[in-house]
Amino acid sequence: MPLPFLADNADNADHAGRDEHRPDTHAHTHSHARGRYAVDEPWQRPYRPGPCRVAGAAMLLVLASYLLIAALIDAAAGSTSGAGALLVAAVLVVAWALRSLRVGIWVSGRGLRRTGLFRTVTVEWRRVGRVRTAQQPVRWLALPRTVQGQALVIERVDGRELPALLTDHNADFLGRAESFDVAADAIEGWADALGGRR
């Protein structure tokens, strides 16, 4: 079964990230970004989900399978209420696993989308003021523990910042600092080409 939320534009992101540092290709990068992310283009994530995120989702799906087996056993034993509760729990765990795979930064010609576990925020490009990386305390794998690391900071044109979601210590980039740099450079390039400050 195709899983579009696992799709990425990593190869193009890598190319765009490298072009951002070459002055002679700056104009080409802008036109490429505008052409690539037309208004009718689907939302794309410019990096692949990290192994920690995929492993976490896989563990949740394994848990869901156990819950479904337990629900089947309860139903065979005549405990319909117990089977129903286990079935609902399994559906919720599957939804959690699929949602966790969608967490991240998505882009299209319409704007920039920050997809969290419980909330999605979409900002039109004309309202995106600045996208930059910053050294700051970041959460380690979204846990309360914080460490010093890098985060992708997204500012609106009115000066407000979106809560940091893309960091070098999250489930996508833990132990993959180079991949974080490539993804951050690519998103910064798109914001520079399509954002409110041109």
Side-chain angles (χ1 to χ4, degrees):
M1 180 179 69
L3 300 177
F5 46 80
L6 286 177
D8 65 85
N9 195 24
D11 293 336
N12 288 332
D14 181 57
H15 177 72
R18 287 194 297 266
D19 282 353
E20 277 300 300
H21 299 290
R22 294 170 55 189
D24 59 329
T25 59
H26 192 64
H28 171 72
T29 302
H30 283 209
S31 61
H32 172 75
R34 289 182 185 277
R36 174 66 179 171
Y37 295 103
V39 174
D40 57 347
E41 283 290 320
W43 290 97
Q44 301 181 46
R45 179 169 42 194
Y47 56 89
R48 294 180 178 86
C52 292
R53 185 174 302 283
V54 175
M59 291 176 64
L60 288 173
L61 292 176
V62 170
L63 174 60
S65 68
Y66 280 115
L67 291 173
L68 289 173
I69 293 172
L72 183 61
I73 293 172
D74 267 15
S79 176
T80 55
S81 60
L86 288 169
L87 180 61
V88 170
V91 170
L92 291 175
V93 171
V94 170
W96 181 10
L98 296 180
R99 180 66 178 182
S100 70
L101 288 172
R102 291 193 61 88
V103 170
I105 302 295
W106 297 71
V107 291
S108 81
R110 287 165 284 177
L112 182 147
R113 176 169 289 175
R114 178 193 182 277
T115 301
L117 192 59
F118 301 107
R119 185 185 178 198
T120 296
V121 177
T122 301
V123 184
E124 296 178 358
W125 284 119
R126 62 188 178 88
R127 299 186 184 278
V128 175
R130 186 183 179 194
V131 178
R132 59 185 173 84
T133 55
Q135 285 281 345
Q136 63 183 52
V138 297
R139 288 188 174 186
W140 188 81
L141 290 179
L143 297 174
R145 175 191 172 191
T146 60
V147 296
Q148 192 68 20
Q150 290 192 88
L152 187 70
V153 179
I154 301 170
E155 298 178 0
R156 301 175 189 256
V157 291
D158 59 9
R160 290 184 299 164
E161 291 184 1
L162 294 179
L165 179 65
L166 208 70
T167 75
D168 61 352
H169 284 77
N170 71 359
D172 290 314
F173 299 108
L174 185 66
R176 302 170 65 224
E178 185 177 348
S179 296
F180 171 82
D181 291 338
V182 170
D185 286 348
I187 296 171
E188 288 178 39
W190 289 319
D192 186 41
L194 303 174
R197 296 178 187 170
R198 295 176 173 81

